[in-house]
Amino acid sequence: MLIKPFIISKLFSNIVYEDSLEAFISGFEAGGQNIPSNIDPWSIIGDESSLIVSTDRSSCFERNKIALRMEVLCDSQGSKVCPTGGVGVYNPGFWGMDIKQGKTYKIVFYIRSLGSVNLSLSLTSLDGLQTLANARIIASASDVSNWTKVESSLEAKETNHNARLQLTTTKKGVIWIDQVSAMPLDTHKGHGFRNELVQMLVDIKPRFLRFPGGCFVEGEWLRNAFRWKESIGPWEERPGHFGDVWMYWTDDGIGYYEFLQLSEDIGALPIWVFNNGISHQDQVDTSSVLPFVQEALDGIEFARGDPNSTWGSVRAAMGHPKPFDLRYVAIGNEDCGKKNYRGNYLKFYEAIKLAYPDIGMISNCDGSSHQLDHPAEFYDFHVYTSASSLFSMAHQFDHTSRDGPKAFVSEYAVTGKDAGTGSLLAALAEAGFLLGLEKNSDVVSMASYAPLFVNSNDRRWNPDAIVFNSSHVYGTPSYWVQQFFRESSGATLLNATLQTNSSSSIIASAIAWQNSEDEKNYLTIKVVNFGNNSVKLKISVDGLDPNSIKLSGSTKTVLTSSNLMDENSFKEPNKVVPNRILLENADKDMDVVISPHSFTSFDLLKESISLKMEETDSFSRSSI
């Protein structure tokens, strides 16, 4: 493998994609606007002789009129005494709440009653037998005759990874409850996201966050599409919506603002995907699409506008007077080829370009094999396929025109039987594909794996990069592949010529980069061996002086396992993870052995910054 240096400008990004990491927020709209309705995921404590639970349209929130009504038929004394512990309702959160001893949890809800209230607010085990934290809510009839906000902080006395929140009473009367929130105080930067989940993102150094998703943006029908204006402002006033593509209700506690905030918190640029008047089943005619265009313009103003502007002032009121750094928007998702897409797209493009000429716009149409018939700064490329097919697509962009818009590979993954729920086989194929993107980084500007997160209790898609439940999290092998590309963005791509008899199973790439933390300089050579046999390689780096590679500090990192279908799990979260060791024979010329079915990275620490660059004005791709 002969490596020659060429300076290449790069905006290659390693990940990120969509998901909902919403804290526990619950109104009672999930059963629909009609009453009576289903109160799921709430359940009743007590029987119909002591408690009648229903819903009505009495809430103080105009966009969330459904409230929970509890008619308590028992009392603390008299002929009908309430059972021990009282009667009421409970909510298990997202398949159990992770409550930890010593931590504090903020509970917020709204209450109204016909009489005085004596309510127990508790965090308990899932069966209700173990009380982890408790507070008493006592109020006179005059205090709660109108809707009243209640805030309480509960400090957990014990730990339980599968807990629930419950509201109980032993006092006869009628109580209404609405808009309940339970949130630990120690969320990431205080913005409501679980620390360990966000840390998984931070660890791969994402350059962008694409949100709020793909099909989630479209909706099966437009009436159920994500609409950003419905997802901002106080969480209590957000109406929520039914995600009819993935078939779940969301209170939109994670809305447009929270996605922008998360992007900023992890040091990533936001990429907003908005609806362009097209869903899976219906679409707006181009002659009627201007209101959708205005909605997009308003959304950009919300993110970027002066705090005195119409929508910038709404953002400022939410606690972020400084504009967000929104540079990219995607006009729709996977809508190319639909009847109204091109006409609608042009309306959006022209209006946004006039108001925000610097924003890069992403078309849904693939421009990798032919030129687009409409203007765009980027085109979206999606691929879900088998392992062998994706590995072979490492050369997908080798012959793409170097003129025109750049590629945004916003969704890629191995799926089907090759993937399982996150296999080594899938990860190696994706690694080979990513090396091909890196080697074509003059035309591929951004890439992101999809999907990013999944709760193990509710898999709607396989595989996903990060798997979590109420208390634990692990990365699939595909997640760990992202670790190998953390330094790709902004690096110098080196021209690598690979000479081997196993060229069909080997893909390699080389970059030079500087560690921003200690300003040390590295040469990184990444190699995927997709074959069954070990491969011997001789690595030679042109332009480096003898003894320019430091023995101390140079490392070799390998991702592999004994079985191609090996996966990580909650029981074995580190079964398939990168293994890093010191590289004993580090030099500008090395003989190395690449293990079968592996992804290997050689990180060579250099003595100095300088590489002797070959004189060229054009991009030179590696030949493999």
Side-chain angles (χ1 to χ4, degrees):
M1 179 178 181
L2 181 62
I3 301 171
K4 297 182 179 181
F6 288 88
I7 298 176
I8 301 296
S9 173
K10 290 172 59 62
L11 181 63
F12 187 88
S13 297
N14 49 327
I15 201 169
V16 174
Y17 187 55
E18 64 185 275
D19 201 66
S20 177
L21 313 178
E22 192 169 325
F24 166 55
I25 294 172
S26 178
F28 295 92
E29 272 68 34
Q33 290 294 321
N34 294 320
I35 55 170
S37 66
N38 190 350
I39 65 169
D40 186 69
W42 293 85
S43 296
I44 298 173
I45 302 171
D47 58 33
E48 59 189 19
S49 68
S50 58
L51 179 71
I52 298 175
V53 175
S54 61
T55 55
D56 63 22
R57 295 180 57 82
S58 66
S59 176
C60 59
F61 298 106
E62 287 302 318
R63 298 196 294 177
N64 299 288
K65 294 304 295 184
I66 307 298
L68 183 76
R69 183 183 187 273
M70 296 196 307
E71 183 177 357
V72 181
L73 305 176
C74 59
D75 213 333
S76 59
Q77 56 187 0
S79 60
K80 180 61 177 176
V81 177
C82 291
T84 303
V87 297
V89 291
Y90 72 87
N91 191 315
F94 293 97
W95 302 279
M97 300 179 183
D98 184 29
I99 304 301
K100 296 179 180 177
Q101 182 179 2
K103 286 195 173 186
T104 301
Y105 301 84
K106 182 179 179 181
I107 315 299
V108 178
F109 63 97
Y110 289 77
I111 189 169
R112 183 170 73 90
S113 178
L114 296 180
S116 61
V117 169
N118 190 333
L119 198 67
S120 178
L121 174 66
S122 307
L123 294 169
T124 75
S125 57
L126 195 58
D127 58 13
L129 299 179
Q130 177 193 28
T131 299
L132 310 171
N134 180 266
R136 181 69 62 179
I137 309 299
I138 300 174
S140 66
S142 60
D143 290 335
V144 291
S145 60
N146 296 312
W147 281 104
T148 303
K149 184 178 183 178
V150 176
E151 296 188 26
S152 182
S153 294
L154 303 183
E155 182 178 339
K157 306 304 180 185
E158 297 184 57
T159 294
N160 190 301
H161 300 308
N162 196 22
R164 73 189 195 188
L165 172 73
Q166 65 180 39
L167 296 159
T168 56
T169 186
T170 57
K171 183 175 176 55
K172 187 176 182 179
V174 179
I175 300 173
W176 286 266
I177 296 170
D178 198 14
Q179 296 304 103
V180 186
S181 167
M183 183 89 68
L185 292 186
D186 63 337
T187 59
H188 186 74
K189 296 191 176 183
H191 293 144
F193 292 92
R194 279 173 56 178
N195 282 307
E196 67 271 32
L197 299 189
V198 177
Q199 192 59 48
M200 294 285 283
L201 299 187
V202 172
D203 288 346
I204 54 175
K205 298 183 179 180
R207 300 323 197 264
F208 64 85
L209 176 69
R210 176 182 182 256
F211 66 85
C215 299
F216 186 73
V217 173
E218 298 165 287
E220 194 67 20
W221 297 89
L222 279 172
R223 62 178 174 266
N224 292 319
F226 177 84
R227 306 302 286 269
W228 77 266
K229 289 182 180 179
E230 303 290 288
S231 75
I232 62 168
W235 60 267
E236 303 98 321
E237 299 176 9
R238 302 179 188 182
H241 77 285
F242 181 66
D244 61 353
V245 173
W246 301 112
M247 302 301 289
Y248 65 86
W249 173 267
T250 171
D251 288 287
D252 286 331
I254 294 182
Y256 183 45
Y257 175 86
E258 285 74 23
F259 279 116
L260 290 166
Q261 182 70 76
L262 178 61
S263 301
E264 184 175 86
D265 286 347
I266 64 176
L269 292 173
I271 297 181
W272 179 34
V273 187
F274 56 73
N275 187 286
N276 67 322
I278 297 176
S279 76
H280 288 181
Q281 299 294 338
D282 58 344
Q283 50 189 299
V284 174
D285 191 82
T286 299
S287 63
S288 305
V289 81
L290 288 184
F292 284 78
V293 174
Q294 188 59 52
E295 185 176 70
L297 290 171
D298 292 345
I300 297 172
E301 182 179 276
F302 176 90
R304 293 184 29 158
D306 184 276
N308 295 319
S309 63
T310 301
W311 289 102
S313 65
V314 178
R315 181 199 68 240
M318 293 182 69
H320 202 286
K322 182 181 177 182
F324 289 107
D325 191 10
L326 179 63
R327 305 182 193 177
Y328 308 101
V329 297
I331 303 173
N333 171 76
E334 294 183 344
D335 294 325
C336 186
K338 294 181 179 178
K339 182 181 67 172
N340 294 336
Y341 181 71
R342 188 179 183 279
N344 289 7
Y345 174 92
L346 289 173
K347 293 290 186 182
F348 282 92
Y349 186 90
E350 291 162 2
I352 294 173
K353 188 59 67 175
L354 181 63
Y356 302 95
D358 63 305
I359 282 188
M361 279 174 274
I362 303 163
S363 167
N364 291 180
C365 299
D366 176 18
S368 62
S369 57
H370 56 81
Q371 289 191 340
L372 301 182
D373 63 356
H374 53 272
E377 282 70 54
F378 304 91
Y379 58 85
D380 207 341
F381 184 91
H382 292 189
V383 55
Y384 297 106
T385 186
S386 66
S388 59
S389 293
L390 191 63
F391 185 79
S392 68
M393 289 178 67
H395 301 284
Q396 174 72 27
F397 295 92
D398 285 2
H399 304 293
T400 294
S401 171
R402 276 30 215 177
D403 300 319
K406 306 298 183 183
F408 175 23
V409 183
S410 69
E411 297 186 31
Y412 73 88
V414 171
T415 53
K417 65 179 182 179
D418 288 348
T421 57
S423 69
L424 172 65
L425 173 62
L428 294 179
E430 291 156 3
F433 177 66
L434 279 177
L435 287 184
L437 300 189
E438 183 173 82
K439 289 148 63 72
N440 284 284
S441 56
D442 62 323
V443 291
V444 181
S445 290
M446 297 177 283
S448 50
Y449 182 88
L452 181 58
F453 282 100
V454 65
N455 189 307
S456 61
N457 295 284
D458 193 34
R459 288 183 181 270
R460 305 294 174 98
W461 178 275
N462 280 318
D464 306 82
I466 301 170
V467 183
F468 68 97
N469 58 21
S470 66
S471 57
H472 293 81
V473 59
Y474 68 86
T476 63
S478 295
Y479 167 81
W480 291 108
V481 161
Q482 309 301 321
Q483 297 271 2
F484 289 79
F485 293 88
R486 290 185 299 179
E487 308 300 339
S488 292
S489 184
T492 299
L493 179 65
L494 307 179
N495 186 40
T497 303
L498 183 61
Q499 296 174 333
T500 172
N501 293 329
S502 303
S503 60
S504 62
S505 65
I506 291 284
I507 296 177
S509 180
I511 60 172
W513 58 280
Q514 185 179 72
N515 189 320
S516 60
E517 296 177 2
D518 57 17
E519 296 187 351
K520 291 182 178 179
N521 297 282
Y522 290 86
L523 175 68
T524 293
I525 300 146
K526 297 189 288 286
V527 186
V528 175
N529 183 356
F530 202 59
N532 298 319
N533 301 310
S534 298
V535 175
K536 293 181 179 179
L537 285 182
K538 182 178 182 63
I539 296 174
S540 181
V541 184
D542 273 9
L544 284 181
D545 296 326
N547 303 317
S548 60
I549 301 297
K550 286 186 177 182
L551 292 177
S552 61
S554 295
T555 60
K556 172 185 175 182
T557 306
V558 182
L559 179 69
T560 190
S561 191
S562 58
N563 190 306
L564 266 176
M565 295 308 296
D566 278 349
E567 300 182 359
N568 294 328
S569 64
F570 290 120
K571 289 184 178 179
E572 295 181 281
N574 298 316
K575 186 174 184 178
V576 189
V577 298
N579 179 34
R580 177 173 293 182
I581 60 172
L582 288 176
L583 189 59
E584 297 179 354
N585 64 333
D587 202 347
K588 67 184 293 293
D589 298 303
M590 296 185 300
D591 292 312
V592 299
V593 176
I594 308 300
S595 301
H597 300 142
S598 67
F599 186 15
T600 304
S601 176
F602 301 94
D603 295 293
L604 309 179
L605 178 61
K606 296 191 299 178
E607 289 281 4
S608 61
I609 296 176
S610 62
L611 270 172
K612 297 176 181 177
M613 300 294 175
E614 293 200 356
E615 294 182 3
T616 181
D617 293 325
S618 61
F619 174 75
S620 178
R621 296 190 304 278
S622 307
S623 58
I624 293 181

